[in-house]
Amino acid sequence: MKRYILLAAIIIVNLSAIFSNNLLHNNYLRKGISLNGKWNYIVDMYETGYYNYRWQPHDGSPNPGAGAFYTNTKPKNKMDLVEYDFDASPTLLVPGDWNSQKEKLFYYEGTLWYKKSFDLPNYNASKRYYLHFGAVNYRADVYVNGKKLGTHKGGFTPFNFEMTDVLKAKDNFVILRVDNKRAADEVPTLNTDWWNYGGITRNVTIYELSPTFIEDYSLQLDENNSKLISGYVQLNGNNKANSKVTISIPELNLQKEFITKSDGSIAIAIPLKKYTAWSDTDPKLYTVNLHTNEDNVTDKIGFRQIETRGSDILLNGKTVFLKGICIHEENVMRGGRAHSMEDARMLLNWAKELGCNFVRLAHYPHNEHMVRLADEMGLLLWEEIPVYWTIQWGNPETYKKAEQQLSEVIHRDKNRASVIIWSMANETPMSDERLAFLSKLVNTTRKLDKVRLISAALEDHGKESDNNIMVVEDPFADMVDILSFNQYYGWYGGDIDNIKNIRWEIDIDKPVIISEFGAGALQGYHADNMTRWSEEFQELLYEETLPTLAKIPQLSGITPWILADFRSPRRMLIPYQDGWNRKGLISETGNRKKAFFTLQKFYSELENK
Ligand code: GCU
């Protein structure tokens, strides 16, 4: 037991170095004050609200002047010149991207200001107040009552700021400057095959916290001992040292007390006797209570082990085949960013209808409803950061952005049984700088989370000597636990009627996941199966590809591209695409294409093997 406590203590030292942004863990199940709803907005293409006419930022200047939008200045009299008025401006719904809410914002990439006024009827000056965002794409500058709380970059991960010192009981206002312009040195970079939806795309919530509260914790089955819960708890506040933390799991009749160290942290080790392991076939979640004399937090945690042995993936010691599908975070029926529990239910129910036990959340962290619902439904998850295509591998600032997003998603989801794979990247071009960049991300992931597997979507290619033999020659394959790659034989190169003759030469003793294959089809367009864009062509590609992949000895999973059609600025072919990537198995009208049933049949036959 001592070894585990020491090991956990070492982990904490490392984690605090990376998790130093005081990001609340498990805000999801805390009672909060929602700021969702209508927010006034001002489109600010020329950043007038942020820079003066000499292009100097108002932000941070001792007297920013009325022109700084975040001051929300009102004219003092009829003579006064103030050239903006949030309260007279139109509104957007939060959460939600702006592109799908307003026709004139459909293609907008730039700065847009949001403002929300609020009172706190139960304001308590002895409490601490945090303002939490599920995600904002891409950069957010956050101000409350004219004071800057901070800036966050990254379009798909949560962040929060403490606002205790600037808050009042009445007449508060929060203002955000949101900028979704793409840039070469950002993550993702300029070039993606998805719509750059901008805005406050997920929930905004105020959390009222005790002076010393439970900021973070990890409680997972130990990777070396399935009869031990190990992890840590981290308190935040003046009384964080030498505080009693009681952890209980009522259903297991378990309760244990711990005393925090001087830094407010404590290593946790709780022996387990009898319990039901979480799995895709029995997604058992336990209510876990954490209690201190100032704070109570409840979570729902599934205890399970995931590991590889040779080319097998083992869930709780038993080999599992990952019958998957890729999903973008988009409500295809509405055409905007998915953000609600209803959106999550629609998408994951479609995956279940296909017969999936696995989902690849492409190409960036999805909202927390998806992960929490997957925990309940017994869907295993692949989570990914948007290190996508041509990232600036040699730029240390770009690396920091990737590592920040990685640490934020691991921080949020480290207690979710459904999450089994962290993906470092998608289809990145090989180079020494890229290998160094990705290897550093692997090392950080292994520090932050010892109980999940690491992969990345690599690429294959035909052998010079024989184009019917496909190979994956990528040095990064040595760094990952699972070898995954995207292959599009029959769509991007190769003849669809030759698929049956190809095979993969993979001499690596690791599990293999085919992280993408697919073809575009306009739902309702029917022709012979050699006609590209027809449902029959897409159906034939699935009929030919699935049995060919099944011949790969190490095959442990597939996630075809993709569950539903999705918006992309790269796909403009009229009449088939018209701004949509058509590789979905479900169209924007919710109709299943013929290939949907091909995949469904393949999975059901796998099931019965
Ligand atoms: C790539 C990429 C996807 C893209 C897909 C396509 O493999 O990973 O993001 O949408 O292929 O070309 O449709």
Side-chain angles (χ1 to χ4, degrees):
M1 187 66 71
K2 280 217 177 349
R3 183 169 81 88
Y4 295 118
I5 291 177
L6 176 66
L7 181 66
I10 293 166
I11 293 170
I12 291 172
V13 170
N14 285 321
L15 293 190
S16 54
I18 292 183
F19 283 149
S20 56
N21 51 9
N22 296 342
L23 184 57
L24 277 175
H25 178 67
N26 190 22
N27 62 290
Y28 191 84
L29 293 181
R30 277 189 184 275
K31 190 176 164 316
I33 303 158
S34 176
L35 289 184
N36 290 350
K38 287 186 177 178
W39 289 50
N40 297 96
Y41 75 93
I42 297 172
V43 179
D44 188 6
M45 281 171 64
Y46 278 49
E47 316 254 26
T48 312
Y50 190 75
Y51 297 100
N52 63 22
Y53 79 120
R54 295 295 186 222
W55 205 249
Q56 293 150 334
H58 301 302
D59 201 15
S61 62
N63 47 0
F69 284 11
Y70 58 83
T71 62
N72 192 30
T73 302
K74 299 289 182 190
K76 291 185 198 57
N77 53 52
K78 64 184 180 183
M79 284 293 293
D80 242 3
L81 171 63
V82 177
E83 293 185 85
Y84 66 94
D85 181 346
F86 278 107
D87 299 323
S89 301
T91 61
L92 279 167
L93 281 178
V94 167
D97 64 272
W98 62 59
N99 312 73
S100 62
Q101 290 191 58
K102 303 285 179 188
E103 184 62 34
K104 64 182 180 180
L105 296 178
F106 182 61
Y107 288 105
Y108 183 61
E109 293 186 308
T111 285
L112 181 145
W113 294 83
Y114 287 85
K115 178 237 168 200
K116 181 81 176 178
S117 297
F118 63 95
D119 294 337
L120 285 176
N122 302 320
Y123 175 72
N124 177 340
S126 71
K127 295 287 189 180
R128 295 174 67 183
Y129 290 88
Y130 271 57
L131 183 58
H132 182 278
F133 297 85
V136 176
N137 188 43
Y138 175 81
R139 169 184 169 137
D141 292 89
V142 182
Y143 307 83
V144 168
N145 298 336
K147 298 284 184 306
K148 176 95 176 247
L149 297 186
T151 298
H152 180 270
K153 274 187 170 184
F156 304 97
T157 46
F159 60 98
N160 52 226
F161 298 108
E162 181 161 8
M163 57 175 178
T164 310
D165 297 342
V166 299
L167 210 58
K168 317 175 278 189
K170 284 179 68 58
D171 303 328
N172 298 286
F173 60 91
V174 51
I175 288 179
L176 265 77
R177 167 190 177 234
V178 176
D179 181 357
N180 77 327
K181 280 194 298 293
R182 290 164 292 120
D185 63 340
E186 295 295 341
V187 179
T189 183
L190 286 166
N191 190 17
T192 68
D193 191 19
W194 68 78
W195 205 267
N196 178 30
Y197 289 112
I200 306 177
T201 49
R202 296 177 192 165
N203 292 343
V204 183
T205 316
I206 296 171
Y207 291 99
E208 180 184 86
L209 301 162
S210 302
T212 296
F213 63 90
I214 301 167
E215 176 186 275
D216 187 17
Y217 55 87
S218 172
L219 296 168
Q220 293 284 277
L221 269 194
D222 188 277
E223 77 272 22
N224 300 313
N225 180 347
S226 64
K227 294 281 188 191
L228 180 75
I229 295 174
S230 67
Y232 65 86
V233 176
Q234 178 67 56
L235 304 186
N236 177 316
N238 295 334
N239 302 331
K240 65 184 178 183
N242 309 314
S243 273
K244 185 165 77 173
V245 179
T246 305
I247 298 177
S248 62
I249 308 178
E251 196 177 341
L252 295 177
N253 200 17
L254 257 182
Q255 177 160 316
K256 209 164 181 235
E257 293 179 355
F258 302 85
I259 303 295
T260 56
K261 302 188 306 179
S262 57
D263 65 357
S265 74
I266 183 66
I268 300 294
I270 303 177
L272 277 177
K273 292 191 180 67
K274 205 168 150 9
Y275 68 96
T276 304
W278 185 95
S279 75
D280 55 334
T281 53
D282 182 4
K284 172 66 183 169
L285 296 175
Y286 286 98
T287 297
V288 180
N289 300 311
L290 296 90
H291 167 80
T292 68
N293 61 357
E294 291 189 42
D295 196 10
N296 287 294
V297 169
T298 292
D299 205 341
K300 289 162 53 178
I301 299 180
F303 298 107
R304 58 108 187 95
Q305 283 189 315
I306 193 81
E307 60 190 315
T308 64
R309 196 174 297 152
S311 61
D312 287 337
I313 297 174
L314 305 174
L315 177 62
N316 303 316
K318 279 193 292 187
T319 302
V320 63
F321 185 86
L322 302 178
K323 301 171 290 180
I325 191 74
C326 289
I327 295 187
H328 257 304
E329 187 184 47
E330 191 172 78
N331 176 324
V332 69
M333 313 290 279
R334 188 179 68 234
R337 272 275 165 260
H339 55 75
S340 64
M341 180 51 97
E342 293 68 34
D343 291 341
R345 227 176 272 290
M346 178 185 79
L347 293 169
L348 296 185
N349 282 337
W350 281 347
K352 277 280 187 183
E353 184 189 333
L354 263 176
C356 297
N357 66 346
F358 179 57
V359 169
R360 178 186 176 201
L361 301 184
H363 285 294
Y364 37 74
H366 290 211
N367 65 77
E368 192 168 357
H369 295 306
M370 291 288 275
V371 179
R372 292 279 179 165
L373 188 55
D375 262 13
E376 290 175 20
M377 294 174 70
L379 279 167
L380 298 157
L381 295 180
W382 161 307
E383 286 209 272
E384 186 163 300
I385 53 173
V387 173
Y388 182 92
W389 290 355
T390 51
I391 292 285
Q392 274 193 354
W393 309 109
N395 182 335
E397 291 309 307
T398 301
Y399 176 77
K400 279 186 206 152
K401 292 164 188 168
E403 185 175 77
Q404 171 218 313
Q405 294 182 34
L406 175 68
S407 66
E408 286 169 343
V409 65
I410 293 177
H411 185 282
R412 187 192 73 178
D413 295 342
K414 57 182 177 283
N415 285 311
R416 305 281 71 79
S418 52
V419 180
I420 58 167
I421 295 170
W422 300 117
S423 168
M424 303 295 107
N426 180 74
E427 290 194 352
T428 51
M430 286 186 277
S431 72
D432 293 346
E433 285 184 329
R434 166 261 196 185
L435 182 59
F437 188 107
L438 297 183
S439 303
K440 270 182 79 176
L441 286 176
V442 169
N443 296 336
T444 295
T445 304
R446 297 216 190 278
K447 257 191 226 136
L448 293 177
D449 185 348
K450 299 185 172 321
V451 291
R452 288 175 179 82
L453 303 170
I454 291 175
S455 193
L458 307 181
E459 294 179 287
D460 70 347
H461 61 271
K463 243 178 147 173
E464 297 268 305
S465 54
D466 177 347
N467 271 334
N468 277 350
I469 299 179
M470 311 302 284
V471 290
V472 178
E473 290 165 333
D474 186 329
F476 190 53
D478 298 337
M479 296 288 295
V480 294
D481 299 312
I482 298 176
L483 173 64
S484 305
F485 59 91
N486 300 344
Q487 74 81 26
Y488 278 94
Y489 194 96
W491 179 262
Y492 295 123
D495 292 331
I496 191 167
D497 53 9
N498 187 47
I499 290 176
K500 65 175 79 60
N501 302 321
I502 62 168
R503 63 184 177 83
W504 281 269
E505 214 168 64
I506 301 169
D507 54 353
I508 194 166
D509 188 22
K510 291 183 178 179
V512 166
I513 290 179
I514 305 301
S515 35
E516 286 182 35
F517 76 85
L522 178 63
Q523 190 274 322
Y525 172 52
H526 296 288
D528 63 80
N529 61 17
M530 284 292 135
T531 301
R532 197 180 278 262
W533 303 112
S534 70
E535 284 197 42
E536 286 71 18
F537 186 97
Q538 186 189 48
E539 179 187 40
L540 177 63
L541 185 125
Y542 272 71
E543 285 169 349
E544 297 291 295
T545 301
L546 289 164
T548 306
L549 296 177
K551 293 179 195 147
I552 300 174
Q554 303 93 330
L555 189 70
S556 291
I558 49 171
T559 48
W561 190 261
I562 183 169
L563 178 66
D565 290 349
F566 61 96
R567 283 204 184 284
S568 167
R570 297 168 55 87
R571 311 296 177 173
M572 306 320 282
L573 174 64
I574 301 293
Y576 304 113
Q577 296 177 319
D578 192 17
W580 291 88
N581 183 310
R582 292 292 182 194
K583 297 189 183 69
L585 298 176
I586 299 177
S587 71
E588 70 271 34
T589 54
N591 290 327
R592 279 81 171 137
K593 303 175 192 175
K594 296 175 84 166
F596 178 97
F597 304 101
T598 310
L599 183 61
Q600 189 184 51
K601 180 168 173 286
F602 178 77
Y603 283 159
S604 66
E605 285 165 359
L606 267 187
E607 198 53 45
N608 303 331
K609 261 189 184 152

